[in-house]
Structures are given as structure tokens and as C-alpha cells.
Amino acid sequence: MADSIQLHPVRNSSKKNLYYSAGRHGRYQVEDETSHLDEMPLMMSEEAFENDESDYQTLPRARVNQKQRGLGWFILGGWKIVCCSCCEWLAHICRRKKELKARTVWLGCPEKCEEKYPRNAIKNQKYNVFTFVPGVLYQQFKFFLNLYFLVVACSQFVPALKIGYLYTYWGPLSFVLAVTMVREAVDEVRRYRRDKEMNSMLYGKLTVRGKVQVKSSDIQVGDLIIVEKNQRIPADMIFLRTSEKSGSCFIRTDQLDGETDWKLKVAVACTQRLPALGDLFSISAYVYAQKPQLDIHSFDGNFTREDCEPAIHESLSIENTLWASTVVASGTVIGVVIYTGKETRSVLNTSHAKNKVGLLDLELNRLTKALFLAQVVLSVVMVALQGFVGPWFRNLFRFTVLFSYIIPISLRVNLDMGKAAYGWMIMKDEHIPGTVVRTSTIPEELGRLVYLLTDKTGTLTQNEMIFKRLHLGTVSYGTDTMDEIQSHITQSYGQVSSNGSSTSSTPSRKPPPAPPKVRKSVSSRIHEAVKAIALCHNVTPVYESHSGETESVEADQDFSDENRTYQASSPDEVALVRWTDSVGLTLVSRDLTSMQLKTPAGHILTFHILQIFPFTSESKRMGIIVREEATGDITFYMKGADVAMASIVQYNDWLEEECGNMAREGLRTLVVAKKSLSEEQYQDFENRYNQAKLSIHDRGLKVAAVVESLEREMELLCLTGVEDQLQADVRPTLEMLRNAGIKIWMLTGDKLETATCIAKSSHLVSRSQNIHVFKPVTSRGEAHLELNAFRRKHDCALVISGDSLEVCLRYYEHEFVELACQCPAVVCCRCSPTQKAQIVTLLQQHTENRTCAIGDGGNDVSMIQAADCGIGIEGKEGKQASLAADFSITQFKHIGRLLMVHGRNSYKRSAALGQFVMHRGLIISTMQAVFSSIFYFASVPLYQGFLMVGYATIYTMFPVFSLVLDQDVKPDMALLYPELYKDLTKGRSLSFKTFLIWVLISVYQGGILMYGALLLFESEFVHVVAISFTALIFTELLMVALTIRTWHWLMAVAEAVSLGCYLASLAFLNEYFGIGRLSLGAFLDLAFITTTAFLWKVFVITVISCLPLYIVKYLKRKFSPPSYSKLTS
């Protein structure tokens, strides 16, 4: 019996669940009261229970720990949380959100609106004129490091605390702030210009006096707006009229849902029938619209015209809407605005960009706090050794300022310059051309990623469908045998024309009374299958005229092949229709009531569309009933997924096996079937169908029941296989990322079957792995049972839909995330843009690991901005994702090199650079401590201001900064052995352990340098400054050489230049080399520097400080080499 554990059901108390509880509160009211589910334990296997790494032990314990908050918690950072909470509460009170309500919108009468609705302006700026300076300063000084520098710099205005010159403190701080402000200002101006461009776009607005031009930002709820072809829709509208005769138009939604195929929208019938545009003002009509919501795939509303008897009522659904940020693809449309600005679907689904801070910066921030603690302790020790005499408090502060070099301000300068250098290297890498670094503050994040969340369409796939296979049960046709099908089609339609006219019945067409037992010839079966594929779809041919305008298709038009394109809401359907065109049966025209096919001989066959049953994610199939004009035959065609069609078609022994074979090849399968209907059968069906459509209660169920009465014993015609081509090198890239220990989640708005298919073909899920498809759940009880079923599975990939995910996260958030994180791969389908961002945030909060999101469409922006590191691909879906991302690439395969090579180098180099700069500050502070303790604990600086500035800049800056060119592993090695990346995620290059080693090195070297100088130079005591400083510079240059793993010619140049600068300053700036304020006017002379005694003593001190470290490094390399050195040797 498996162990059981108590559930921790997640109530709607946390902030992150507010989104879920908004729209569906009423639906779950009853289920919340079913408290008996609390007592039902989720099953847990013994292995998982005993596993130390299971979040089950750690997470509930964390919850308990949170409750035990005392004074210690408050001092260690609780104060910050309390302050933030207070500020958030005040801000919430100040800008309390207006409750969103349903609305009644009168056509062309904005003044009749009962409420004031938001302006239709786009605003992506972070700051305004007044908040820019305070905002940027807050972002800088919320870090301990910068706040510390500010306090130290301000303390120098107090005469009693003044040590050295003001410029040594204010110069570097001003430089850091100036660079940051300029960078932020440039970004802000760019955002402002982009917003202004969008808000200034002009649209036609219908008024009683005619058409006027209006800016996008001035559009109001109730306005009648005209949108031309290829123009962006400025606000959420209800579609009233179109210039297309069919009363419908196509829109492109790639910036909203990420899908590149066009969507068909239908105008409100009542307004489309009006004779002229101006008549929109002569009628009295209004639209009732539901309150603004996140869901882009649904809409409920009504259209009412009052000025006629009886009043006309039309129900409105998603097909009557035109959402903002979509683009009109055909004709000109007129719509009435129902939602503007912040209430539009696209804005509701967009999250605001947050200021991203790298993990390395947070770790360095923690280390600087530890250093500050050490600094205060050291100052207290000094004052205590003085005996707390005199104004000891002032002395304490002076010591604190004196030791302020323990935390060097050059740390920020060096790291910021390093980040800029890494960004430049990434953009200059010829192996990943076109890569752009848009956020220069987090390149190290690329080396610390654990979760990669990727979009499907356009990211992993090219979204280009190609017809690959037709299977008829006994015979299968592939790409190389399509010419056989073409000859069969030409032959069968040739017989039609040879019989004199296309009206006579042909041997290949099956007459309804024919006995089903007779086996048909292959030719006739191919003919039936191709005809079914050419008729059973939702595709519309669009003709581009030479002037570039889309013409509406007329029956007598010349259907020339070169300017015809096909449009549909699914690229699979377009691929099927293109294929029938290639084998000789061409779809040339279609409107809402009929379609026309052209035979190989050039004859036109007309079919009247009697009924259409569109594809839904529940039914997983689509059907159409057509009447052939020439013969009067009525046929019901249907195609759909094999799981849905298997029970509908007549018994056969091959369908299941062949579907499995095609799926293993990565093909998307569709089963095609037909049924011939007599006139009586159809009339009976139509009556029942229309009756069901008018019912008020359970309309959907009744309609489905009527349709299902037709879906019995259908004749199986064929099985089709279509391939969605993957992006170049997706499989090896995903395999490399998996080997690097990165867990990959695919989040897509596409159908479950399609997502599963791509997961297999891209090897996101390996061939040996099982897939667990999470059943659709709507209640807490169902979610509970399904999670239990999922827990019993081991090492299998999870496939879950957005709706089920929402229910699981509402009740069992912790349990679901814990289970999903153990899966080798997770696929979430039918995800809204907000849900994608929600999943990213959940992973960050529950695992505390670094996440990366990659996508290419406007629907991926929220996810990209929520992740610790966002990568955008410039693709067919526009540049919206790449502009919002931190890094922009041109192809998915480039992500391998970006993470394995640049991520690794950026992290390793920044870790080495940060620790070395700290070491540089610690060593001089140790020397200061030794110096002060010898001189009766006087708070006097050892080195003058200029020497201190020179030490951090011209003497050591170039060699230390040259560490940004260092690399431990060659790029080819890093790509060949992605397993090396796993070490980086553990954060071992910069930890308290490595930091402590550097502290010990600094204390040892500082002590040796100072004591050595005092021991060897007793007779020439006034020369201690020159000797110790010279030895210090030599030691630093040697330490840089010791730290470097791969030499670059610029590193050698930097060492030589720094040495040259120092020797020159010894000669020319010798007045600075007296002993601080104790100097009795004894200056350094060249004669003393050139004595052999000076040279050998400096040499001895330097060797004693450095040689042991070189020996230790050699022994460590020999007996405990790091993993990468084994490869390089």
C-alpha cells in the first residue's frame, strides 16, 4: 500500500490566485464547501516519500517557518517587507481599481454611455517627467551596495569624519549613477516614441455628417470605426459591415494568440443587409456586451434593433468580434467600439515589464552585507583596543570610513562594464548572427537556467504544413507516388467529360442504391477520397488582383492559378486543399452558401453548402453537408482525429494501426469519412437541427445530439498525414539542452493533439518515454482523482490543457507543481498569454530556480517578461516578442550556443571579476588595519587619496578587467559536453565558500605585505609607503596572472601597460609616497628606488605573498582537477 499524505489545498487567499477566482467565482462556490475533500489524501509512492529532494518535505515546512517571525526576522530584512507592504497598501488605496461591468453600447452614440470608459491610448513607459529621477534613484539605491556608497560619500561632508579627498568618494558614485540614468533615459525615450507612433495612427470614424479622421487615442466606446485592409484594429469592436459581398472577412491574429493562420469573422446580419453605410445612423440599435475579460477565445453578447416591429435580436459570439492588435486581411470593415484602452483583450493579456535583477547581482549583494558586517566588527575591535577613550564614537565612524575599501565602489563599475563587454561579444559572435542583447544587465543569467519554457508555433516549428501521406486501407501513397493519384483523378474525371456532360452519373461515383458488398476499384476510391478532402474544410480561396486589392470571388471570374491564395483558420486545412489542387481537383471559389471545384479538364463543379459543423476541441471533428448542383446528390462529409472518428466509421481492421504508424513519423493524422443522404433523410435532419438551435436550455447538448444521429456507420474513405516542419536543428538543440540538465516545458495555444504530435517529432519527449494526457477536469473532485492517477505514473511526460491546469492550480497548486517538476517534459496546450506568464511565476516561486522563456509572437510577451531571462525570436509573427525580450535571436538553434558558451563565460567571468575586485579591496583594508594597530590605533589613512584612486584605476584596472576575456573551456568543448553546464546551476563559482577562500588569501597577503615592509625596512621607516605599495601592485598583477585560465594577448598588454604606468608614476609623482599625514616632509627620491636593497626586498615580500598560492594552485590542479580541465587535457 502506497504511503498517504495530507493535502494542503490552496484557497483563494494568495495574490496569484486572484486571476483564477475573477471570472468563475460562482461556478466553484458549491465545490469550495465540499470540505470533505480536505480529508482525502493524495496518494504518494514510497520512492517519492523517501526521496530527500522531494519538495513535499521542504515546502510545507517552509510554510510553518514563515509563521515563526520574531525580532531577528524583522532586523534581517523583515523591515523591508513591512515597508513594501505599507507602500503597496497606500498605492492600492490611491488607485483603487474600478470594477469592470457589462455594458450597453448604442451604435454611433458615445454620449449615451452610462459610464466613463478608459482612453484608448497605449502606454508602455515606466516613468513620467516627475517620477523619472526618483524612480531611477530608487531602483539604484534599493541595493545595499549603492546605498552604502552613498552614506560613506555623504559622511565626507562632516569635517570630523573627513578622510582623504571628496573626489575619491563622489567621483566613482557619480559615474555609476550617470551611466545608469543615461541608459534608462534612452530606453524611456524609445518607448515614448513607439507609443506616440501607435497612438497617432489615423482611422476613419462615421458620424452623422459623414466620415472624419480620428487618432487612435481619441477613439471612444460607441464610435463607428472604419478599418481598411492591412490596418491594425485600434480597439475591441463588434463587426457590423464589410465591403466583401460574402458578409465576412479575414483577420490576422498573430500578435494576439501567436497563430499565423487567418481567422474568418462574420458581420452582424442585420447591419450587413442595410443598403448604405449612412443607414447605420437611421436605425436605433444597441449592443449588449459582457464585462471585459481575459479570455480571447470567447465572447457573449446581443445585438438589438428597436425601431422595427417586431424588434430584431441577434446573439453575438466570438466570430462577430474584432479584437484590438489584430489586422484586417481582406476588405474594409466597419465596427462599433465596445472596449478601449486598458479594457481591451490584448492589454488585459499583457503584463508590465519588470526590472530584472540577475542572480549573481543578488549573491554579490549578500556578500557585500557580510563584508559590511566584517568592516563594522573590525572598527569596533580597533576602538576597543584603543580602550574606548575620548570621542570613541567618532573614531568608530572614522575607522568604518577608513575600512570602506573593504567594499570597493569599483565593484559596480567593473561589473557593469563587464556586462556591456559580454553583450558586445554575444552580438559579434558570427556563429549566431543577428543576435541582439536588449537588456545588458543580466547576461550571467544565461549560465544559470534550470527551466526553459518555449512556445510551439514559429519557435519549435515553422508553421508550414506539407501533405505527406494518403492511406486507403489497402494501399498507401507517399510524396514520391503522388503522380499516380494525379493520373487516377485525370482518368476518372476524363470519363465524366467523355460521357458528354458532367451531369451523367459516372462509373466512379457511387450511386446511393448500390450494394455495399461490392469492392470498388482503387481508382474510384481515390476519386472519392480526393473529392471528400476537396469539399470537407473551411478554406476560402482569395484572389489578389494586379493592383494588390483582394477581389471578392465571382462565379464567372477567370480563376487564374498564379494569384490565388488559400485562407483558413487552420494551416492543416490549407495544406490539404493545396494538395488536392496539386493532384488536379482545385477549389476555385467559396462563399457562405456554395463552393466550386475545377476538374483537371477545366470543368467547374458547383456544390451548395447546406450545413457546416465546425471543429471544436470537444468534438475533435468537423463536418459539412453539400448538394451537388449537377446531380442533386446530398452527401455528408466528415473529417477528424482518429480518437473521435474510430467509433463513427464502419468496422475496419487497419485504422488504429496506421494512425499509430503515422504519429510515430511525426505526422498529424485526419480520418475522412462520408455518408450519402436521401432528400427525405436530409429534410428530417434539418427540421430537428433548426429546432434544437432555437432551444434556450441546453442548446449545445441538443444540437450535438441531433448531429450525432447522422454520425453513424459512415463509410471510411481515407487517412491523411500532414507534417508541420520543424525549425532547423530543433532536435539536436533540445537534446543538448536536456543533457545540460535544463527541463523543457512547451506552452502553446494550439490543440492538444497537435501539441502532442510536435512534442514527439521534435524529441521533446523521447521515444522511450510514456505520455500522460491529463483528462479534462472542471471540479475539485475530478482534479483530485486525476492528480492521484498521475502520481502513480513514473518518468512520463505530462500533457495538460489550459482549462484543466486552471482548476488544478486553484485547489492543488503546491501538489500539482511538485508533480509536474518531476516530469522530464511538460506540454501545456490551449494556454492563454496570461496563463503562460502564470506558469513561469509559479515555477519561480515553488522551485526558486532560474527560468527562461522563449517565443516569437505577441502572445508570448507576457511569458518573456515574467521569466528571469526572456528570449525572443524574430519570426513570421512580427517583432513584438523580440522587442520585449532581453535577448533576441533569429533561430531556435542559436539558443544552444547562447547558453552553453556565452552563458557559461558571462557567469564564470563575472564571478571571478567580482571576487577579485573584492580581494583588491580586502587586501588594502588588511594593510590599513595592520598599519593602524602598529601606530597606536590611530584612524589615519595609510595611503593618500591619489594613491587610493590610482590603485583602483590605472595601476590595476586593466589587468583585473581583462578577466572578462578569460575562458575555462573552449566554445567547441562547451557545445560538445553540455553536461558541464549542470555545474553552473549549482552556483559554485561564486558562493560563501569561494568568497571565504578569497578573504583568507587577502588577509594573508595584506598581512605579509605590511609586516614584511615593517620588518625589512626598520632603518628607512619613512619609505614604508613606497615599499609596501610597490609590493602590493606587483602582488595584484601576479594574482591576476594566477587567476587567468586561458591567456589572451590583450591580457599581457594590460599587465605591461599597468606596470609601465606604475613605474612612471614612481618617478614623476614621488611626493605622494610619503607616509600619509604622519609624513615629516620626507619624500621619495629616485636614488632610493634604484638601490638594489629596495628591489630585492620588494621582490622577497612579493614572492612570499604569492608563491604559496601558486604552489597550492599547482597541487590542486594535480590532485583534484575541476571537471573541465579533464576534458581540455
Side-chain angles (χ1 to χ4, degrees):
M1 173 66 186
D3 293 358
S4 303
I5 95 155
Q6 281 304 109
L7 269 176
H8 303 274
V10 179
R11 288 283 199 293
N12 295 341
S13 56
S14 67
K15 280 182 194 168
K16 52 184 174 269
N17 285 336
L18 284 176
Y19 155 62
Y20 293 125
S21 56
R24 310 197 176 181
H25 200 72
R27 179 175 143 194
Y28 290 104
Q29 206 75 42
V30 183
E31 289 146 17
D32 259 342
E33 289 158 14
T34 56
S35 56
H36 68 273
L37 279 168
D38 285 353
E39 275 68 59
M40 285 171 60
L42 269 179
M43 303 308 291
M44 188 166 192
S45 66
E46 269 122 19
E47 294 100 294
F49 203 74
E50 285 156 15
N51 185 359
D52 278 339
E53 288 175 1
S54 166
D55 290 350
Y56 251 94
Q57 283 86 34
T58 53
L59 275 160
R61 199 180 303 147
R63 294 179 189 180
V64 177
N65 291 348
Q66 278 181 339
K67 291 168 192 166
Q68 300 166 353
R69 291 169 172 174
L71 186 65
W73 170 82
F74 186 80
I75 293 166
L76 288 169
W79 60 272
K80 194 190 287 182
I81 296 165
V82 172
C83 292
C84 288
S85 306
C86 293
C87 294
E88 277 177 18
W89 178 75
L90 281 170
H92 178 70
I93 295 296
C94 296
R95 54 165 200 267
R96 194 174 284 166
K97 280 194 178 174
K98 193 179 73 177
E99 194 186 344
L100 301 175
K101 291 178 184 169
R103 58 196 63 185
T104 300
V105 181
W106 291 84
L107 268 58
C109 304
E111 64 281 354
K112 280 194 184 179
C113 289
E114 301 133 20
E115 287 194 42
K116 194 170 183 288
Y117 297 115
R119 277 188 74 220
N120 194 45
I122 292 171
K123 188 173 185 293
N124 288 314
Q125 289 161 261
K126 284 189 201 169
Y127 312 103
N128 58 33
V129 179
F130 303 107
T131 59
F132 178 73
V133 174
V136 174
L137 289 178
Y138 169 73
Q139 288 299 335
Q140 290 304 304
F141 290 125
K142 74 177 182 184
F143 285 108
F144 176 78
L145 194 64
N146 293 357
L147 190 62
Y148 166 79
F149 295 140
L150 182 68
V151 172
V152 169
C154 289
S155 73
Q156 293 306 289
F157 288 120
V158 181
L161 303 176
K162 191 165 187 282
I163 291 176
Y165 303 107
L166 275 176
Y167 68 81
T168 60
Y169 295 94
W170 281 100
L173 185 64
S174 306
F175 175 73
V176 170
L177 289 178
V179 168
T180 308
M181 284 213 166
V182 168
R183 195 171 59 201
E184 282 290 336
V186 169
D187 286 349
E188 201 62 7
V189 168
R190 279 185 193 150
R191 284 190 208 105
Y192 170 73
R193 283 182 181 159
R194 276 210 300 268
D195 290 350
K196 192 177 175 186
E197 188 185 333
M198 296 294 268
N199 290 328
S200 305
M201 287 172 81
L202 294 175
Y203 290 89
K205 173 180 162 182
L206 274 187
T207 63
V208 184
R209 294 183 298 282
K211 183 177 167 185
V212 294
Q213 291 288 313
V214 62
K215 278 185 183 175
S216 171
S217 56
D218 295 334
I219 289 171
Q220 295 173 293
V221 171
D223 282 347
L224 295 175
I225 301 296
I226 301 167
V227 187
E228 305 288 341
K229 184 184 174 187
N230 290 330
Q231 225 182 352
R232 189 184 75 90
I233 294 169
D236 287 356
M237 308 197 297
I238 294 295
F239 183 15
L240 300 178
R241 278 180 76 86
T242 173
S243 58
E244 302 279 288
K245 290 187 177 65
S246 60
S248 60
C249 80
F250 282 105
I251 61 165
R252 293 200 294 271
T253 60
D254 46 11
Q255 293 307 324
L256 189 65
D257 62 6
E259 299 302 316
T260 47
D261 35 292
W262 294 6
K263 307 287 188 293
L264 185 73
K265 297 290 177 178
V266 181
V268 175
C270 175
T271 48
Q272 179 67 23
R273 283 197 301 265
L274 295 173
L277 259 186
D279 294 336
L280 285 170
F281 284 99
S282 64
I283 65 169
S284 172
Y286 64 85
V287 168
Y288 173 78
Q290 65 182 153
K291 68 178 183 183
Q293 287 184 338
L294 285 160
D295 191 357
I296 56 176
H297 298 297
S298 71
F299 175 77
D300 290 325
N302 287 313
F303 175 89
T304 306
R305 181 177 172 183
E306 287 187 327
D307 59 348
C308 57
E309 280 298 324
I312 297 173
H313 298 283
E314 274 190 55
S315 70
L316 303 174
S317 67
I318 188 70
E319 65 178 13
N320 306 114
T321 58
L322 302 167
W323 296 146
S325 297
T326 58
V327 178
V328 177
S330 64
T332 302
V333 303
I334 295 99
V336 59
V337 176
I338 53 168
Y339 309 124
T340 51
K342 290 184 288 195
E343 296 179 344
T344 58
R345 293 293 205 268
S346 60
V347 175
L348 285 172
N349 275 291
T350 306
S351 59
H352 290 289
K354 60 177 182 179
N355 282 321
K356 295 187 182 179
V357 181
L359 189 58
L360 186 97
D361 292 326
L362 296 173
E363 288 169 344
L364 283 170
N365 207 38
R366 280 203 292 274
L367 294 181
T368 48
K369 287 177 187 172
L371 283 176
F372 176 67
L373 207 63
Q375 180 185 341
V376 173
V377 169
L378 191 57
S379 306
V380 172
V381 168
M382 284 294 181
V383 175
L385 292 172
Q386 269 183 343
F388 292 105
V389 291
W392 66 269
F393 203 83
R394 193 189 72 188
N395 286 346
L396 177 67
F397 212 97
R398 279 180 66 87
F399 271 121
T400 309
V401 176
L402 202 58
F403 295 135
S404 65
Y405 285 99
I406 284 186
I407 305 174
I409 190 158
S410 54
L411 180 62
R412 268 305 304 272
V413 181
N414 274 294
L415 285 176
D416 282 358
M417 285 164 54
K419 289 171 196 282
Y422 309 142
W424 184 82
M425 288 173 196
I426 290 171
M427 291 200 272
K428 289 288 173 210
D429 189 344
E430 60 209 23
H431 296 284
I432 46 173
T435 304
V436 181
V437 178
R438 298 191 194 280
T439 307
S440 58
T441 52
I442 54 166
E444 301 92 357
E445 288 295 273
L446 293 169
R448 310 287 297 274
L449 303 174
V450 179
Y451 287 96
L452 176 73
L453 299 103
T454 171
D455 177 38
K456 178 189 74 71
T457 313
T459 303
L460 296 179
T461 69
Q462 298 178 22
N463 206 25
E464 279 183 12
M465 307 294 169
I466 294 174
F467 190 94
K468 287 282 189 182
R469 187 71 54 84
L470 180 75
H471 205 293
L472 300 171
T474 52
V475 61
S476 170
Y477 294 94
T479 42
D480 48 349
T481 49
M482 292 300 175
D483 49 345
E484 286 183 37
I485 296 180
Q486 197 169 352
S487 60
H488 281 303
I489 293 293
T490 311
Q491 184 188 342
S492 59
Y493 278 108
Q495 290 170 346
V496 175
S497 47
S498 65
N499 285 349
S501 81
S502 61
T503 56
S504 62
S505 189
T506 68
S508 61
R509 188 178 291 113
K510 175 193 160 199
K517 297 289 178 205
V518 178
R519 272 194 94 129
K520 291 186 289 186
S521 69
V522 171
S523 182
S524 85
R525 281 162 63 206
I526 288 174
H527 173 214
E528 286 293 351
V530 173
K531 184 172 156 190
I533 295 169
L535 288 170
C536 185
H537 54 69
N538 230 327
V539 181
T540 308
V542 178
Y543 291 88
E544 293 285 332
S545 66
H546 299 297
S547 64
E549 285 299 310
T550 307
E551 294 174 2
S552 56
V553 180
E554 298 293 333
D556 52 13
Q557 187 183 330
D558 173 33
F559 301 125
S560 55
D561 290 342
E562 58 273 7
N563 57 10
R564 183 196 311 113
T565 54
Y566 292 114
Q567 288 306 335
S569 59
S570 165
D572 300 62
E573 295 209 310
V574 176
L576 293 172
V577 173
R578 281 211 186 107
W579 175 76
T580 62
D581 180 13
S582 71
V583 295
L585 197 58
T586 309
L587 173 70
V588 289
S589 145
R590 176 177 187 146
D591 55 32
L592 294 175
T593 57
S594 69
M595 65 174 112
Q596 294 179 310
L597 302 179
K598 188 168 76 173
T599 66
H603 296 290
I604 299 291
L605 306 175
T606 303
F607 295 86
H608 295 290
I609 301 170
L610 302 177
Q611 299 288 351
I612 271 196
F613 315 112
F615 182 95
T616 64
S617 49
E618 288 78 38
S619 70
K620 296 185 176 58
R621 55 188 180 271
M622 72 89 53
I624 188 169
I625 302 179
V626 293
R627 178 189 273 121
E628 189 168 353
E629 191 178 65
T631 61
D633 290 347
I634 299 175
T635 315
F636 173 35
Y637 290 106
M638 180 165 268
K639 69 164 189 256
D642 53 310
V643 284
M645 298 292 289
S647 58
I648 292 170
V649 296
Q650 293 167 347
Y651 173 76
N652 62 82
D653 55 2
W654 59 272
L655 184 61
E656 191 180 343
E657 184 186 346
E658 286 307 326
C659 282
N661 291 342
M662 284 195 195
R664 277 188 285 279
E665 290 177 45
L667 301 180
R668 299 153 69 132
T669 55
L670 281 173
V671 180
V672 185
K674 76 164 209 178
K675 186 177 192 175
S676 298
L677 303 176
S678 64
E679 191 67 46
E680 297 77 35
Q681 279 176 307
Y682 175 70
Q683 288 304 331
D684 172 51
F685 165 78
E686 189 179 36
N687 294 336
R688 287 185 293 127
Y689 187 65
N690 289 338
Q691 212 171 343
K693 278 209 293 190
L694 289 172
S695 65
I696 295 166
H697 301 296
D698 299 330
R699 182 188 298 179
L701 290 171
K702 288 177 182 172
V703 168
V706 174
V707 177
E708 273 174 28
S709 68
L710 273 188
E711 299 170 349
R712 289 182 192 148
E713 289 295 302
M714 295 188 73
E715 181 189 343
L716 174 58
L717 296 177
C718 64
L719 177 65
T720 64
V722 174
E723 181 183 44
D724 185 356
Q725 289 198 303
L726 295 171
Q727 294 272 11
D729 294 336
V730 159
R731 288 176 186 137
T733 305
L734 287 177
E735 192 165 339
M736 180 198 293
L737 296 173
R738 249 206 316 272
N739 292 340
I742 296 173
K743 290 188 175 180
I744 304 160
W745 289 34
M746 184 166 89
L747 313 179
T748 173
D750 216 332
K751 302 194 292 285
L752 188 136
E753 295 77 22
T754 315
T756 312
C757 193
I758 294 299
K760 286 177 182 170
S761 64
S762 65
H763 295 181
L764 176 72
V765 177
S766 61
R767 284 168 188 263
S768 57
Q769 272 167 0
N770 293 323
I771 292 181
H772 177 82
V773 179
F774 206 89
K775 292 196 186 86
V777 295
T778 51
S779 67
R780 182 172 176 176
E782 289 175 5
H784 189 104
L785 295 168
E786 191 55 31
L787 279 170
N788 266 336
F790 176 42
R791 185 179 285 291
R792 295 189 188 98
K793 300 281 181 76
H794 289 287
D795 191 42
C796 69
L798 172 67
V799 179
I800 186 168
S801 71
D803 294 339
S804 303
L805 180 72
E806 188 178 317
V807 178
C808 289
L809 294 183
R810 171 181 292 240
Y811 297 116
Y812 301 120
E813 180 186 286
H814 161 64
E815 283 75 16
F816 174 78
V817 176
E818 184 241 335
L819 284 171
C821 288
Q822 291 171 2
C823 293
V826 177
V827 177
C828 300
C829 52
R830 287 280 175 224
C831 276
S832 69
T834 320
Q835 262 182 328
K836 290 184 176 186
Q838 198 95 19
I839 293 166
V840 173
T841 315
L842 270 175
L843 282 176
Q844 289 167 338
Q845 287 168 344
H846 281 268
T847 65
E848 292 184 356
N849 286 321
R850 304 318 265 177
T851 57
C852 172
I854 179 167
D856 68 323
N859 66 319
D860 302 316
V861 170
S862 297
M863 164 173 86
I864 284 169
Q865 290 178 339
D868 297 301
C869 171
I871 300 176
I873 297 182
E874 279 190 29
K876 292 180 183 173
E877 299 182 18
K879 288 191 172 184
Q880 203 170 342
S882 78
L883 288 172
D886 306 307
F887 303 91
S888 166
I889 56 179
T890 52
Q891 284 182 294
F892 183 81
K893 65 177 180 182
H894 292 168
I895 198 174
R897 189 174 178 88
L898 192 64
L899 302 191
M900 301 301 129
V901 177
H902 293 289
R904 177 185 190 83
N905 288 345
S906 301
Y907 170 57
K908 286 270 192 182
R909 289 164 177 173
S910 277
L913 184 63
Q915 291 179 121
F916 204 94
V917 173
M918 284 182 178
H919 155 76
R920 195 170 65 181
L922 277 164
I923 194 170
I924 207 161
S925 298
T926 307
M927 292 171 76
Q928 176 71 56
V930 173
F931 173 78
S932 290
S933 58
I934 286 170
F935 278 92
Y936 310 105
F937 309 104
S939 52
V940 175
L942 166 62
Y943 300 127
Q944 287 284 15
F946 176 79
L947 285 187
M948 292 306 293
V949 173
Y951 171 66
T953 53
I954 55 168
Y955 299 150
T956 60
M957 189 178 87
F958 298 117
V960 171
F961 189 68
S962 71
L963 288 172
V964 302
L965 299 168
D966 192 19
Q967 59 180 31
D968 56 350
V969 176
K970 287 195 166 64
D972 299 342
M973 265 311 169
L975 290 168
L976 190 59
Y977 298 101
E979 290 79 6
L980 290 171
Y981 189 87
K982 284 181 191 172
D983 283 348
L984 304 183
T985 54
K986 293 167 187 165
R988 288 176 180 162
S989 299
L990 176 69
S991 61
F992 272 106
K993 180 186 169 186
T994 58
F995 171 66
L996 209 60
I997 291 169
W998 275 105
V999 170
L1000 293 173
I1001 290 171
S1002 308
V1003 171
Y1004 165 75
Q1005 289 188 326
I1008 290 290
L1009 291 172
M1010 204 63 222
Y1011 276 119
L1014 295 170
L1015 283 173
L1016 295 176
F1017 289 86
E1018 276 173 19
S1019 51
E1020 312 99 8
F1021 197 71
V1022 287
H1023 296 140
V1024 162
V1025 169
I1027 291 133
S1028 62
F1029 198 78
T1030 307
L1032 174 65
I1033 298 296
F1034 285 167
T1035 298
E1036 282 298 288
L1037 296 180
L1038 283 171
M1039 283 301 292
V1040 171
L1042 176 70
T1043 309
I1044 289 170
R1045 287 165 291 218
T1046 309
W1047 279 86
H1048 187 281
W1049 65 271
L1050 278 172
M1051 293 171 169
V1053 169
E1055 294 258 335
V1057 168
S1058 295
L1059 195 57
C1061 285
Y1062 179 66
L1063 295 176
S1065 63
L1066 266 183
F1068 300 114
L1069 301 171
N1070 54 14
E1071 71 267 24
Y1072 287 104
F1073 286 90
I1075 304 179
R1077 307 269 167 79
L1078 295 181
S1079 168
L1080 303 169
F1083 295 136
L1084 191 68
D1085 54 278
L1086 280 169
F1088 170 64
I1089 302 171
T1090 49
T1091 58
T1092 49
F1094 170 82
L1095 294 173
W1096 79 256
K1097 287 177 179 180
V1098 167
F1099 176 73
V1100 166
I1101 293 171
T1102 309
V1103 166
I1104 292 171
S1105 75
C1106 291
L1107 190 61
L1109 297 173
Y1110 271 87
I1111 292 167
V1112 168
K1113 183 183 178 181
Y1114 172 75
L1115 292 174
K1116 189 166 183 279
R1117 261 296 175 93
K1118 192 160 180 66
F1119 297 110
S1120 174
S1123 51
Y1124 60 82
S1125 65
K1126 296 171 191 170
L1127 298 174
T1128 47
S1129 61

